[in-house]
Amino acid sequence: MAFSFVSILLGSSLILQASASPLATSSRCCNLLDTEFKGAQKVVYPQTSEFGVLNTYFAPTSQQTPSCIFTPSNATDISRAIKLFTRRSCKFAVRSGGHHYNAGWASINDGILLSLSNLNDVIYDPISSPDSVFVGSGNRWRKVYETVEPHGFTVVGGQNADVGVGGFLVNGGISYVADQYGWAVDNVREFEIVVADGSILRANKKDNKDLFRALKGGSSNFGVVTGFTLDTIKSSVITTTFVGYPETSYDAFINAAYEYCWKGEDPKSQILFISFLNFKNGTFSLQTAASIIYADALQISSPPKVWAPFVNGSIPFLGTQVKAQGGTLGSHGRELAGVQRSGGVLPDRRFRSSQMLSF
Ligand SMILES: Cc1cc2nc3c(=O)[nH]c(=O)nc-3n(C[C@H](O)[C@H](O)[C@H](O)COP(=O)(O)OP(=O)(O)OC[C@H]3O[C@@H](n4cnc5c(N)ncnc54)[C@H](O)[C@@H]3O)c2cc1C
Ligand SMILES: *[C@@H]1O[C@H](CO)[C@@H](O)[C@H](O)[C@H]1NC(C)=O
Ligand SMILES: *[C@@H]1O[C@H](CO)[C@@H](O)[C@H](O)[C@H]1NC(C)=O
Ligand SMILES: *[C@@H]1O[C@H](CO)[C@@H](O)[C@H](O)[C@H]1NC(C)=O
């Protein structure tokens, strides 16, 4: 009696496992995908070096273990794959630059990772249409800046040049020129997107305008965006500076940050307020810093009014003087990418996850 009771339990749990095992389903989906794209080498499996490269994220905690990675070349490839995924109920995640912090957004366990990295065209004609640029959704901002800035234009893009174009735009996107040009996604003229039935659509102010609207912050909920046509803007000099403050300045710094956010009315100014724990000689100290940007040329000796307390010494800072430098959104983006990649100002790598807010 007892024996058969156990065996019934055991039996039913085995059946449940067999029918609900996500690994079996997703490996089958990988096989189907491999067959669909036979000979094209678009499906990458674990334990290969390419898999390791494609499955690397800015935040190691967002990395998961997909059953395979699909590397389409264009919207047509994606359309074919989406039709298959829909028909067979295959689980998948969409990944562009891999800079999102949350596991399970652009990463997946036991499913297919759709990597957009080959959709990396940046098409710009500075003679016939300098005011727009087509950007494949697998790009990083770096390449977009490098393509348009030599012609005197730039784009409302990432502060950090290594951030992916795809995730940044479908999730809104806060640039250094946000107070002048709005969210980055407000500067998208047209989306090229593959929707759930596999259709490749263009969404703009006239065509598929509901979808156009929904994509302004719609994240990955409405389809896989394969490309964006962006408005370009005139590239002007931006001035940047970075100031660190000792623990004794903490209260004054927070109060000034509050005043700035509440009353600061200079659309060209943007400050990233940073606070982090500094671990040195066995003890923690609370440090703060400000990454300060002005979307114009300026002399640091006569700073804009809203900056004054952060740079004129009324809040004591670390070091002896504040130095500012001129650049473009692209040059600053590349510099910030280098700083954020290495852990930058944060002296102990264990405390890299500082809290950043920008206004
Ligand atoms: C160092 C660093 C600096 C940052 N700086 C800024 C900043 O200045 N301003 C700002 O606003 N944000 C910033 N972020 C946040 C960043 O913009 C978001 O995490 C953004 O989602 C990253 O884009 P990605 O393509 O790299 O992301 P991924 O991690 O590849 O994707 C993020 C999300 O978007 C979805 N997605 C990506 N591409 C597509 C697509 N083509 N179609 C449909 N869905 C898609 C993914 O499925 C996922 O849900 C920063 C992040 C980091 C790590
Ligand atoms: C898309 O890429 C595939 C290769 O994966 C190629 O055969 C096909 O011609 C391309 N389609 C378009 C429209 O460029
Ligand atoms: C480190 O801490 C020890 C003990 O608290 C102290 O004696 C020493 O002076 C400190 N060193 C530095 C460089 O601050
Ligand atoms: C710094 O700027 C603040 C705010 O404008 C002002 O109140 C203060 O007097 C200035 N201090 C110095 C040393 O210039």
Side-chain angles (χ1 to χ4, degrees):
M1 180 69 180
F3 177 76
S4 64
F5 185 63
V6 167
S7 72
I8 289 166
L9 274 184
L10 204 66
S12 60
S13 85
L14 281 176
I15 289 164
L16 273 179
Q17 264 185 19
S19 62
S21 165
L23 190 67
T25 316
S26 62
S27 61
R28 175 146 169 72
C29 287
C30 290
N31 291 340
L32 291 167
L33 198 58
D34 225 351
T35 310
E36 172 77 18
F37 291 92
K38 197 136 207 79
Q41 292 178 325
K42 295 202 179 297
V43 185
V44 179
Y45 288 96
Q47 266 102 45
T48 59
S49 58
E50 198 185 353
F51 185 95
V53 172
L54 293 169
N55 201 38
T56 299
Y57 291 78
F58 177 85
T61 46
S62 26
Q63 181 174 320
Q64 296 191 315
T65 312
S67 306
C68 62
I69 302 178
F70 176 52
T71 58
S73 302
N74 51 38
T76 317
D77 286 352
I78 295 176
S79 163
R80 283 168 68 190
I82 293 290
K83 283 180 186 159
L84 189 153
F85 296 166
T86 309
R87 209 164 53 233
R88 303 287 184 145
S89 301
C90 296
K91 283 201 299 172
F92 68 102
V94 181
R95 178 213 155 111
S96 170
H99 270 59
H100 214 90
Y101 288 107
N102 303 343
W105 282 52
S107 56
I108 190 166
N109 282 325
D110 302 331
I112 297 168
L113 180 65
L114 194 164
S115 169
L116 296 165
S117 55
N118 291 337
L119 278 76
N120 57 6
D121 281 345
V122 177
I123 302 169
Y124 185 55
D125 185 343
I127 310 294
S128 70
S129 51
D131 60 344
S132 77
V133 57
F134 174 85
V135 181
S137 59
N139 279 291
R140 312 296 178 121
W141 286 104
R142 182 181 294 267
K143 185 165 163 193
V144 191
Y145 290 131
E146 281 169 0
T147 306
V148 295
E149 287 193 346
H151 303 284
F153 290 86
T154 191
V155 286
V156 180
Q159 299 173 337
N160 173 321
D162 280 348
V163 168
V165 163
F168 185 86
L169 288 174
V170 298
N171 289 294
I174 302 171
S175 73
Y176 282 135
V177 289
D179 281 353
Q180 294 175 81
Y181 297 96
W183 294 90
V185 75
D186 289 329
N187 298 275
V188 176
R189 219 177 258 196
E190 181 174 273
F191 297 89
E192 183 194 82
I193 180 172
V194 178
V195 294
D197 70 359
S199 314
I200 305 171
L201 304 178
R202 290 178 187 287
N204 54 47
K205 276 189 187 140
K206 286 205 196 96
D207 305 322
N208 297 305
K209 55 183 185 216
D210 287 350
L211 183 58
F212 181 64
R213 203 155 163 233
L215 285 168
K216 293 181 181 293
S219 195
S220 55
N221 293 305
F222 297 94
V224 184
V225 177
T226 51
F228 305 87
T229 304
L230 305 177
D231 288 331
T232 59
I233 60 171
K234 277 254 181 286
S235 177
S236 54
V237 171
I238 65 162
T239 308
T240 63
T241 180
F242 192 93
V243 191
Y245 306 88
E247 185 160 17
T248 46
S249 289
Y250 186 78
D251 287 343
F253 176 85
I254 294 294
N255 286 335
Y258 172 80
E259 286 289 307
Y260 174 90
C261 296
W262 191 238
K263 294 183 191 150
E265 281 171 9
D266 188 334
K268 289 186 173 177
S269 168
Q270 193 173 112
I271 303 183
L272 264 69
F273 298 107
I274 302 165
S275 79
F276 57 95
L277 288 170
N278 190 5
F279 186 69
K280 211 173 177 182
N281 196 18
T283 53
F284 291 100
S285 65
L286 187 56
Q287 279 197 6
T288 47
S291 177
I292 313 180
I293 291 89
Y294 204 70
D296 214 336
L298 63 79
Q299 294 297 321
I300 195 69
S301 49
S302 48
K305 209 167 142 251
V306 292
W307 282 22
F310 300 100
V311 297
N312 76 2
S314 67
I315 303 171
F317 50 76
L318 296 168
T320 51
Q321 58 168 317
V322 174
K323 287 193 191 121
Q325 68 183 68
T328 61
L329 293 180
S331 70
H332 186 64
R334 289 189 289 273
E335 196 179 315
L336 186 65
V339 171
Q340 293 186 326
R341 200 185 302 132
S342 66
V345 293
L346 311 180
D348 189 309
R349 294 179 70 87
R350 278 176 295 169
F351 301 104
R352 271 177 72 163
S353 55
S354 61
Q355 292 304 311
M356 288 202 194
L357 292 170
S358 68
F359 296 93

